[in-house]
Amino acid sequence: MSNDHDHDHDHEHEHEHEHEHEHERPLTAGQRAHAQRRAARATASGHGHTHGGAGHGHDFDLPDLPEAVDVFDTTLRDGSQQEGLSLTVDDKLRVAEQLDHLGVAFIEGGWPGANPKDAEFFARAPSELHLSTATLVAFGSTRRAGVAADRDETLRHLVEADTPAVCIVAKSSEIHVVDALRTDLDEAVAMVADSVRFLRANDRRVFLDAEHFFDGYKANPEFAMRILRAAEEEGAETLVLCDTNGGTLPYEVERIVADVLSSFESQVGVHFHNDSGVAVANSLAAVAVGATHVQGCVNGYGERAGNADLSATIPDLSLKLKVRTIPEGRLERLTPVAHHIAELVNIAPNPQQPYVGASVFAHKAGLHTSAIARRSDAYEHITPELVGNGTRFVVSEMAGRSTLALKAAELGLELDSAAMSSVLDSLKRLEHEGYHFEVADGSLELLLRGATGWHQEYFELESYRVIADHAGTRSTEATVKVLVGDDRVVATSEGNGPVNALDGALRSALEGRYPALSDIHLVDYRVRVLDTAKGTGSVTRVLIDSTDGDRSWTTIGVSENIIEASWQALVDSIVYGLLRAGVDGPA
């Protein structure tokens, strides 16, 4: 414990660093908000009252919120620890570009020196990564126990990464210091102080991630706060409180973050894991009491249950709490960026992910859609376009006339009363047979267009045949006979299965007439057995996801014959793709 004289000296030391920071570089938006908040509270305290109410331009009763927070994305480091998620160096560079396009303040690029991939990333970043909004951050740990900072390899690699800012992790829980680091508490504090001092001497901005802070604070608050004090005194600009095990709840967050804020001058940030399902809620709770730096991952990637999902945290803060997070005009990029990053990391987007999911502004039941037609906010908590998403009307056997009318209007189609009745009857009959149009937007649009009298003229099927040969090399051959205009075309193709062979044969027959086919690719193929009681004779449903590089669509086929069901979905996929490409029928 420090005596009073030491405590005064510590504060002089602390203010020296604070003074240095202010003159070395501009403050971030979150740091300005932090400084303004402290100044306002000091003024209010001097007059015997505290600031409350809406304030800050908010249009309804809210806590005393900061004007802005700094968003720190850790997808390339913490997010990449998710099971099944593996990024190449090229992937990491592309993800970073997307995060900068969105407008986050900081991008944590990885741990230089920990593996060859991260070493290559930081070596290539200066020449290949041109960030306009974000600051690239290298991640590492404090010096090792018993090793001088200037001889520690981790710290050396951080300096050699040559990023403007670094983030170092330190144990702030007594049990982790004793059991994991196998050292004493005084040495753990010295590790933080020495490491921050070394990095500041090498002209690096320093963020301290206080690992296991919330658990450590609950068990031994005096030690947890000593770790933060050591970092602040040596010049760390942001103290990040980490809920590493993800077990803390919002009411605890409010109390602990408020205590930290009342004890330190530095900016306070938070880093939550989602093991209890409240990582986003915890982030909001922390900001509500004054945190101005929020860490997480777009799409909530991360080990175990993931990190706080910035795809929800950002709009919650921006739209609900009116706290500035990313530059003005960037919020509408949220959905495209979230989906683009999902493609880069090769993990299918969650359709029910708040704000950015494909289903979160989709309306199926007739009562909902009729209400939406009259008033858009009847079943939508925000205007979807604010986050780059959009309202969709999902058509199924539950659909009423209002649903169909809205869907047709969305597609620019006019359906008279007779056509509307015909489509409604067809939908109910087909869904009874096993079709599922709410997940097959491509086939649904073709069905609706058919009700207006439209029919595809790209080709007409005469016949197809599939032969599976298991003699020796196992191969599958498909022959397709189609009429393209006045020409009869016969094409044969081999594939690794019947669907692949049919796709190859049909493309071979059509590609000479329709070059746009080369841009249409199958993304996914799914089969579901609908009546398991019939065994191998059951009706099967086939869904095919396709893309033209700009947009994806799904088509459907249903039959007791899996090849016939696949053919239906395959034909719809190609027809829809040609229609989207604006291709006319054969000349």
Side-chain angles (χ1 to χ4, degrees), residues 111-329:
W111 188 320
N115 58 72
K117 187 186 298 183
D118 281 358
E120 181 183 343
F121 172 80
F122 285 106
R124 292 171 57 181
S127 60
E128 298 183 40
L129 195 57
H130 307 291
L131 302 178
S132 61
T133 302
T135 296
L136 187 62
V137 181
F139 179 86
S141 65
T142 61
R143 68 165 176 83
R144 289 169 293 160
V147 177
D150 58 1
R151 293 173 178 253
D152 186 84
E153 268 195 52
T154 295
L155 296 179
R156 178 173 60 81
H157 285 305
L158 283 173
V159 172
E160 290 175 352
D162 201 27
T163 56
V166 297
C167 182
I168 57 172
V169 62
K171 303 289 187 188
S172 57
S173 166
E174 178 180 358
I175 64 169
H176 284 86
V177 169
V178 174
D179 295 341
L181 292 182
R182 296 185 179 277
T183 190
D184 59 65
L185 303 188
D186 289 339
E187 172 65 358
V189 173
M191 289 161 63
V192 172
D194 294 347
S195 301
V196 175
R197 187 186 313 117
F198 173 81
L199 292 167
R200 292 293 297 121
N202 281 275
D203 200 29
R204 298 296 184 270
R205 302 170 59 184
V206 181
F207 304 127
L208 180 89
D209 271 9
E211 190 179 38
H212 296 284
F213 181 83
F214 290 91
D215 293 335
Y217 180 95
K218 286 182 275 188
N220 184 343
E222 189 271 339
F223 171 68
M225 299 290 254
R226 282 181 67 197
I227 290 291
L228 299 183
R229 181 71 64 195
E232 181 181 66
E233 288 174 350
E234 295 299 337
E237 67 182 62
T238 305
L239 310 174
V240 183
L241 317 180
C242 302
D243 185 30
T244 310
N245 289 346
T248 306
L249 297 179
Y251 78 93
E252 299 173 295
V253 169
E254 291 179 346
R255 176 176 61 85
I256 294 171
V257 174
D259 189 24
V260 172
L261 280 161
S262 69
S263 304
F264 294 90
E265 295 290 328
S266 298
Q267 182 187 33
V268 172
V270 288
H271 177 122
F272 290 105
H273 285 257
N274 200 39
D275 298 73
S276 299
V278 291
V280 172
N282 280 343
S283 300
L284 303 183
V287 172
V289 295
T292 55
H293 172 110
V294 174
Q295 297 190 0
C297 299
V298 166
N299 296 327
Y301 299 130
E303 62 183 332
R304 305 188 314 274
N307 285 264
D309 183 0
L310 293 180
S311 303
T313 306
I314 289 171
D316 274 346
L317 289 170
S318 298
L319 299 176
K320 305 288 187 175
L321 299 182
K322 313 295 174 138
V323 175
R324 187 155 34 93
T325 56
I326 56 178
E328 189 174 352

Side-chain angles (χ1 to χ4, degrees), residues 273-465:
H273 285 257
N274 200 39
D275 298 73
S276 299
V278 291
V280 172
N282 280 343
S283 300
L284 303 183
V287 172
V289 295
T292 55
H293 172 110
V294 174
Q295 297 190 0
C297 299
V298 166
N299 296 327
Y301 299 130
E303 62 183 332
R304 305 188 314 274
N307 285 264
D309 183 0
L310 293 180
S311 303
T313 306
I314 289 171
D316 274 346
L317 289 170
S318 298
L319 299 176
K320 305 288 187 175
L321 299 182
K322 313 295 174 138
V323 175
R324 187 155 34 93
T325 56
I326 56 178
E328 189 174 352
R330 302 282 185 102
L331 193 58
E332 64 189 25
R333 302 178 183 182
L334 185 65
T335 298
V337 166
H339 291 184
H340 193 149
I341 290 176
E343 292 297 327
L344 289 169
V345 304
N346 198 28
I347 294 178
N350 174 10
Q352 292 185 304
Q353 185 180 356
Y355 289 102
V356 300
S359 298
V360 295
F361 298 107
H363 305 279
K364 175 176 177 180
L367 285 175
H368 284 206
T369 51
S370 60
I372 287 281
R374 289 191 292 271
R375 207 181 147 146
S376 62
D377 62 351
Y379 286 95
E380 293 179 342
H381 67 113
I382 65 161
T383 302
E385 287 74 17
L386 291 174
V387 292
N389 210 332
T391 299
R392 289 194 306 117
F393 299 104
V394 178
V395 178
S396 71
E397 79 280 359
M398 295 175 64
R401 286 178 174 270
S402 60
T403 307
L404 282 176
L406 286 167
K407 185 65 180 180
E410 181 186 325
L411 299 172
L413 303 176
E414 292 185 10
L415 295 178
D416 59 24
S417 180
M420 190 78 73
S421 297
S422 174
V423 171
L424 200 53
D425 290 342
S426 295
L427 275 172
K428 292 180 178 179
R429 173 179 56 81
L430 290 169
E431 295 230 347
H432 180 69
E433 293 175 7
Y435 286 82
H436 194 39
F437 285 101
E438 70 176 82
V439 296
D441 54 337
S443 292
L444 173 63
E445 182 171 339
L446 297 180
L447 179 69
L448 291 174
R449 289 185 180 279
T452 67
W454 175 89
H455 65 278
Q456 69 96 357
E457 297 180 344
Y458 301 118
F459 63 91
E460 180 182 341
L461 176 68
E462 180 181 305
S463 67
Y464 66 78
R465 180 177 62 182

